[in-house]
Amino acid sequence: MKIGTPKEVLEGEARVAMTPDSALQLQKLGYDCIIESGAGVAAGFADADYEAAGVAVAKTAAALWKDADIIAKVRPPTDTEVKRLNGDKTLISFFYPASNEALMEAASQKGASVIAMDMVPRISRAQKMDALSSMANIAGYRAVIEAGNNFGRFFTGQITAAGKVPPAKVLVVGAGVAGLAAIGTSTSLGAITYAFDVRPEVAEQVESMGAQFVYLDFEEEQADGSSSGGYASVSSPEFREAQLAKFRELAPEVDIVITTALIPNREAPELWTEDMVKAMKPGSVIIDLAAERGGNCKLTVKDEKIVTENGVTIVGYTDFPSRMATQSSTLYATNIRHLMTDLTPEKDGVAVHDMEDDVIRGATIAHKSEITFPPPPPKVQAIAAAPKKEAPKELTPEEKRAAEVAAFKAQTKQQVTLLTVGAVLLLAVGLVAPASFMQHFIVFVLAVFVGFQVIWNVSHSLHTPLMAVTNAISSIIILGALMQIGSGSFLVILLAALSVFMAGINIFGGFLVTRRMLAMFQKS
């Protein structure tokens, strides 16, 4: 079978669904590859690069659509492209079936199999084919770069001979794939980064990347991301009002706002209102990644950059991935290649459309002249549900005192029991062992006990648990050696001194190494 990629016809679209590298991998699966002449030029891939990879170059789109059995492209097909489909062909592209019902119906009537890359289920096995995440990752990164291009200051703070430059304050609304990419880029550039999301389970992810999670003083149980495929769910009106109130509080402080909030198959929720824009400082920037679905900001104009009367720049571009066409094409082509790997179990160049497979069934929106959208829920949950943490019970002062007394009594009982058992065993050994052996044995036992008690109780903030064990052993050696260093034998004195020296190196060296390890996690 032949897999072909036409040139994208949408104006401004620079991505391509097949790269020379992905073509080589597709050929290993047994496919012949075809590319329309000039399809990869905007993404930095010349026709000669494809020919060197063994890809046939079709002169026209009509010729490619006629020869290819499987057509892989980026944007949804146009009406003209749908007319070129038939029952023997498979189309793989972004499709957005909930918004393109007429187009989906037309493709179904042609009898073609249509796989929508935006419908790939978000389960672990399908992560390698998740083109939405691939593109969102690029969009989040590019949003920060675009914000920096329109912002009149450094992201990081500086103290120079010419004066002090404060760090920029960035607020990222929505901590999905695009939001996390924006957070990572913003923090790496040195900005003070805040992030908000309605999903409670992402707070730790945000904080682990160096940003501050914006919490709401609002008591409402939010839906776990596992119930919505990892996406945010619709919030109650009360929660929304509390959310907007928090944003109004932050608006005068932040310099850059990046909004990424979008629920599949819905219009973008309005989160940054006109009064918030008016409250922002002149020179501030808003990057609205939800502009294609109406925008999270009230004033966003799709595919345009505007400047408000109070000097706030609002960017509503919808082609952020296309602005990094080489990287986007490489990732998207890799997603396509992984999908083709699943469609070709025998690696014989024959696609097997297995509708029992969770991933293939979830992404298929038309098959054998039937519309198969929406798909049934996958057998495997998208992400594991976050375990619910029960709030610890607040103890009264009397209960705390009783718990401390009980713990002290238990610890004392355990130590007395161990000392009693040890003393009995020591006496039992003394009944049969000679006096010379008992002298050394008692020294060894005392060294073990004292060394363990001294070192083991050192806080782990000063050394690692593994270092605590090695230091405990070294302290046992040192205590035993110190008690033998006054011996009358020169050989015993020499060995004891060597023991003290080497064990001392181990202990002090261990603390120095641990200090350097801890310093790696401290901000300078």
Side-chain angles (χ1 to χ4, degrees), residues 157-391:
Q158 292 189 9
I159 298 177
T160 70
K164 181 180 179 182
V165 179
K169 292 185 178 180
V170 178
L171 171 64
V172 179
V173 181
V177 177
L180 291 174
I183 291 166
T185 309
S186 176
T187 54
S188 66
L189 289 174
I192 298 174
T193 307
Y194 304 92
F196 175 82
D197 198 285
V198 299
R199 293 163 294 184
E201 66 268 21
V202 304
E204 291 182 0
Q205 299 177 38
V206 167
E207 291 168 352
S208 70
M209 299 182 74
Q212 300 177 44
F213 191 78
V214 177
Y215 291 94
L216 292 185
D217 186 15
F218 185 83
E219 294 294 331
E220 177 178 281
E221 178 114 9
Q222 292 297 307
D224 191 272
S226 61
S227 62
S228 54
Y231 294 99
S233 55
V234 180
S235 303
S236 68
E238 294 79 13
F239 183 88
R240 173 178 163 76
E241 287 304 315
Q243 177 181 331
L244 294 180
K246 188 66 176 180
F247 290 162
R248 288 189 180 95
E249 178 185 328
L250 292 172
E253 301 177 17
V254 295
D255 302 300
I256 296 170
V257 177
I258 299 174
T259 62
T260 71
L262 199 58
I263 300 173
N265 304 320
R266 290 178 179 269
E267 288 298 308
E270 184 187 337
L271 300 177
W272 207 258
T273 57
E274 187 173 354
D275 63 301
M276 296 177 195
V277 177
K278 291 180 178 178
M280 296 179 73
K281 295 172 286 189
S284 300
V285 179
I286 298 173
I287 307 292
D288 196 340
L289 291 181
E292 194 162 7
R293 304 290 296 179
N296 295 135
C297 178
K298 181 70 173 176
L299 303 180
T300 299
V301 179
K302 182 179 177 182
D303 291 321
E304 291 185 20
K305 179 176 74 173
I306 65 169
V307 180
T308 64
E309 292 181 359
N310 63 318
V312 177
T313 301
I314 304 176
V315 179
Y317 299 151
T318 60
D319 60 345
F320 285 111
S322 191
R323 289 170 182 255
M324 300 181 67
T326 303
Q327 183 70 75
S328 300
S329 299
T330 300
L331 294 181
Y332 183 69
T334 302
N335 295 141
I336 294 284
R337 191 253 299 174
H338 283 305
L339 178 66
M340 293 307 303
T341 302
D342 271 27
L343 282 169
T344 320
E346 300 299 326
K347 297 184 179 181
D348 56 356
V350 178
V352 179
H353 209 107
D354 182 9
M355 294 295 278
E356 296 300 316
D357 184 287
D358 263 356
V359 177
I360 295 172
R361 173 64 188 89
T364 301
I365 61 172
H367 185 59
K368 293 183 179 179
S369 300
E370 291 184 7
I371 293 177
T372 57
F373 175 83
K379 303 180 186 72
V380 181
Q381 197 175 34
I383 58 175
K388 292 186 178 180
K389 300 178 183 178
E390 294 184 4

